[in-house]
Amino acid sequence: MNLADKINQPVFHHVGNVADSLSRPCYVVGGYVRDIFLHRHSKDIDFVTVGSGIEVAEAVAATLGKGCQAHVFRNFGTAQVKRHDLELEFVGARRESYSRDSRKPIVEDGTLDDDLSRRDFTINAMAICVNADEFGELIDPFDGLADLDDQLIRTPLDPDVTFSDDPLRMMRAIRFATQLGFSIVPETFDAIARNADRIGIISRERIADELMKIMASPMPSIGWELLAKCGLLIHILPELYAMRGVETVNGRGHKDNFYHTLQVVDNVARKSKNVWLRWAALFHDIAKPVTKRWDAKLGWTFHNHNFIGARMIPRIFRDMRLPMNEKMKYVQKMVELHMRPIALVEDVVTDSAVRRMIFDAADDIDDLMTLCEADITSKNEAKVKRFLDNFALVRRKMTELEERDRIRCFQPPVSGEEIMEIFGLRPCREVGTIKEAIKNAILDGVIPNERAAALELMHDEARRLGLSPVSDTL
């Protein structure tokens, strides 16, 4: 098949001409070729040359003009050339062999067939020639194009060897299935199951990178369900794996919290591209397995699972090598607060409760509402409608109270420093008591969020504590 029109761009002709000047066969390979057929845009282009890829990269950089140079990684035999928004990667064709306890290969020079056969999946094992005489010719030794048409993921060679050699490819198989909506062929999926324990030799950082791509996909549940079915999930995130299944006592069961969680994640994904909100959805019920109790009167209970789940988040993030920064704190806050809107709609929606929820969630209140609306997964349509209608009422109250009371960006009208100055105090419990009384009075609607009212309450509370002002400046 000739794809000259698909790669009829200056960059491919330029690389091909340079390769011809060095008498080097040269091909664009991998993801860029795959994405041509999937009609997906890609800025990263990988080239394989028979011979030194570094030599071709340096020659390409030298002909692209002032300021362009090749960044060489000799330990890996690769070089990178950046030109405007394009990133060109060059490597020499190679063959690889692995030892059982490492994913670092022994690399030797090889042919194009050697290079394509070492790749992870047939859809990534295609190449297009950029040399002038064969420009646009497709090399597809493993029928990757047919697998693209059939939306299948399979390995070019024996999948047990492929996954044992580089266990990260098991994660990549599931990631591609999730991103593209493809199916993993049975023999490839079965090999993942047989080799699942090999994932232990892969760094947590590399695994986290694949999980982030799964979470950014249109339907993240595809990936998490596949991870559970093939046996990888128990090694990667045992806390999530523990949520699977239904326990029954006296004929009373509870919903499968794993599949409920996946539905919540997909519900959030339909509403938001915020990947950290999707992580919050994944973890919102993470403590249910450890809080699950049977009560003869109440049935199955999961008391305080939101608070206990929030305490679990830092350890989970640390174990998974997810960022231990404001992203983790955001997820932790969403997990802790996710029951608050539900508690509101199950009771009378009071102004005070809504104010406190806005105060605690602050700028993340809209995300919290999105998460809680996504958490309604009942098959009872009347129940779902009732909850969503009540959530709409909560949102209206939020808008009204925010416009009137400015709670989201709440700052105390009287600061602790001012309280200390007025009453001649050093930092002490009484200062905190007065500040807390002012905050609670505002959130409960006892006083407006205004300075004059706060000062009056401050003096009332101080008198109750036996304090007298030493300054009337405020």
Side-chain angles (χ1 to χ4, degrees):
M1 180 183 296
N2 192 294
L3 297 169
D5 290 341
K6 296 289 187 181
I7 61 168
N8 188 23
Q9 300 172 42
V11 62
F12 296 110
H13 289 290
H14 187 86
V15 171
N17 290 338
V18 170
D20 284 338
S21 71
L22 298 171
S23 300
R24 293 285 170 76
C26 188
Y27 308 86
V28 58
V29 296
Y32 192 91
V33 177
R34 177 198 68 227
D35 287 346
I36 286 175
F37 295 105
L38 293 176
H39 308 290
R40 301 202 317 173
H41 176 70
S42 179
K43 295 188 297 185
D44 301 337
I45 309 174
D46 293 338
F47 292 95
V48 163
T49 67
V50 179
S52 171
I54 293 174
E55 184 180 348
V56 174
E58 290 175 332
V60 168
T63 60
L64 284 177
K66 187 177 180 180
C68 187
Q69 61 180 7
H71 300 276
V72 176
F73 307 93
R74 294 197 182 277
N75 287 346
F76 300 97
T78 65
Q80 187 181 84
V81 177
K82 292 186 178 180
R83 181 67 169 173
H84 303 307
D85 63 340
L86 288 177
E87 193 170 290
L88 315 179
E89 189 93 19
F90 294 84
V91 65
R94 55 193 180 180
R95 64 167 64 96
E96 296 176 348
S97 57
Y98 292 79
S99 61
R100 173 71 186 170
D101 58 352
S102 172
R103 66 175 297 263
K104 294 181 179 179
I106 300 169
V107 179
E108 303 173 289
D109 291 342
T111 65
L112 178 65
D113 284 345
D114 290 330
D115 197 273
L116 295 179
S117 67
R118 71 178 179 82
R119 295 181 177 268
D120 49 9
F121 310 113
T122 58
I123 61 174
N124 296 329
M126 297 182 287
I128 301 174
C129 186
V130 295
N131 298 98
D133 287 347
E134 297 176 326
F135 189 84
E137 283 296 317
L138 176 68
I139 295 88
D140 182 16
F142 302 104
D143 291 326
L145 190 56
D147 284 342
L148 272 180
D149 289 340
D150 294 335
Q151 299 186 329
L152 298 175
I153 293 172
R154 75 173 83 235
T155 58
L157 303 179
D158 181 341
D160 283 298
V161 174
T162 297
F163 296 138
S164 180
D165 283 350
D166 185 354
L168 185 65
R169 290 169 173 167
M170 297 186 289
M171 293 294 303
R172 285 170 57 82
I174 288 168
R175 187 250 291 182
F176 281 124
T178 309
Q179 285 182 323
L180 303 177
F182 283 17
S183 299
I184 303 173
V185 299
E187 57 268 29
T188 297
F189 190 80
D190 291 346
I192 295 175
R194 287 192 294 270
N195 290 276
D197 62 338
R198 291 278 289 159
I199 201 66
I201 71 170
I202 301 298
S203 75
R204 285 285 178 163
E205 290 81 2
R206 300 294 298 278
I207 293 172
D209 184 55
E210 295 298 325
L211 293 177
M212 288 297 292
K213 293 172 182 176
I214 288 172
M215 288 300 263
S217 300
M219 284 188 65
S221 65
I222 296 172
W224 291 106
E225 185 172 5
L226 289 172
L227 287 169
K229 287 182 175 179
C230 73
L232 284 172
L233 184 62
I234 196 170
H235 299 286
I236 293 168
L237 188 50
E239 297 87 351
L240 186 64
Y241 187 83
M243 296 173 68
R244 299 170 73 243
V246 175
E247 196 171 346
T248 303
V249 173
N250 296 335
R252 294 179 66 181
H254 55 80
K255 63 187 171 187
D256 188 305
N257 290 308
F258 177 74
Y259 285 99
H260 161 73
T261 291
L262 297 193
Q263 187 175 346
V264 176
V265 173
D266 283 349
N267 289 346
V268 168
R270 280 192 287 271
K271 296 286 187 178
S272 173
K273 293 187 181 299
N274 179 352
V275 71
W276 297 109
L277 184 57
R278 298 179 185 193
W279 279 106
L282 189 75
F283 292 139
H284 79 285
D285 281 345
I286 198 68
K288 279 197 169 179
V290 297
T291 59
K292 182 170 67 174
R293 300 289 184 273
W294 168 257
D295 184 292
K297 294 181 179 178
L298 301 176
W300 291 104
T301 66
F302 306 91
H303 292 313
N304 292 325
H305 74 276
N306 52 321
F307 299 111
I308 294 169
R311 290 203 296 269
M312 292 169 65
I313 295 303
R315 178 184 57 77
I316 292 173
F317 266 55
R318 187 165 50 251
D319 290 348
M320 295 182 67
R321 302 301 190 271
L322 292 170
M324 299 295 292
N325 56 17
E326 70 279 358
K327 305 299 185 186
M328 181 274 290
K329 293 177 182 177
Y330 166 87
V331 171
Q332 187 176 33
K333 179 166 75 170
M334 292 293 104
V335 172
E336 181 173 336
L337 296 179
H338 83 270
M339 295 295 291
R340 292 278 285 277
I342 294 173
L344 283 178
V345 303
E346 289 179 337
D347 205 344
V348 178
V349 184
T350 66
D351 288 0
S352 173
V354 175
R355 280 194 201 92
R356 288 185 174 277
M357 184 177 71
I358 296 172
F359 174 77
D360 289 337
D363 286 340
D364 299 317
I365 184 65
D366 294 323
D367 287 352
L368 178 63
M369 292 300 297
T370 298
L371 172 59
C372 291
E373 288 164 347
D375 199 14
I376 308 303
T377 62
S378 172
K379 292 181 172 60
N380 184 327
E381 293 183 7
K383 181 179 179 181
V384 171
K385 184 178 186 306
R386 185 175 74 253
F387 268 81
L388 294 180
D389 286 347
N390 285 343
F391 276 133
L393 173 60
V394 172
R395 283 187 179 272
R396 286 197 297 273
K397 274 194 174 289
M398 284 168 46
T399 301
E400 294 167 5
L401 293 171
E402 181 62 23
E403 290 175 355
R404 189 174 76 214
D405 298 335
R406 308 179 307 281
I407 296 298
R408 187 181 305 208
C409 300
F410 178 84
Q411 293 294 329
V414 181
S415 70
E417 289 76 12
E418 290 173 318
I419 295 170
M420 288 187 285
E421 181 181 349
I422 291 170
F423 296 100
L425 299 172
R426 295 191 176 195
C428 60
R429 180 175 56 83
E430 286 79 5
V431 175
T433 299
I434 294 172
K435 285 180 63 179
E436 187 72 9
I438 294 171
K439 182 193 83 173
N440 288 334
I442 292 171
L443 294 179
D444 289 337
V446 176
I447 64 172
N449 186 12
E450 297 172 358
R451 182 171 174 78
L455 283 171
E456 184 178 347
L457 181 66
M458 174 195 73
H459 284 289
D460 290 344
E461 188 67 19
R463 280 192 294 272
R464 190 185 67 79
L465 295 170
L467 300 174
S468 299
V470 297
S471 169
D472 291 325
T473 58
L474 297 170

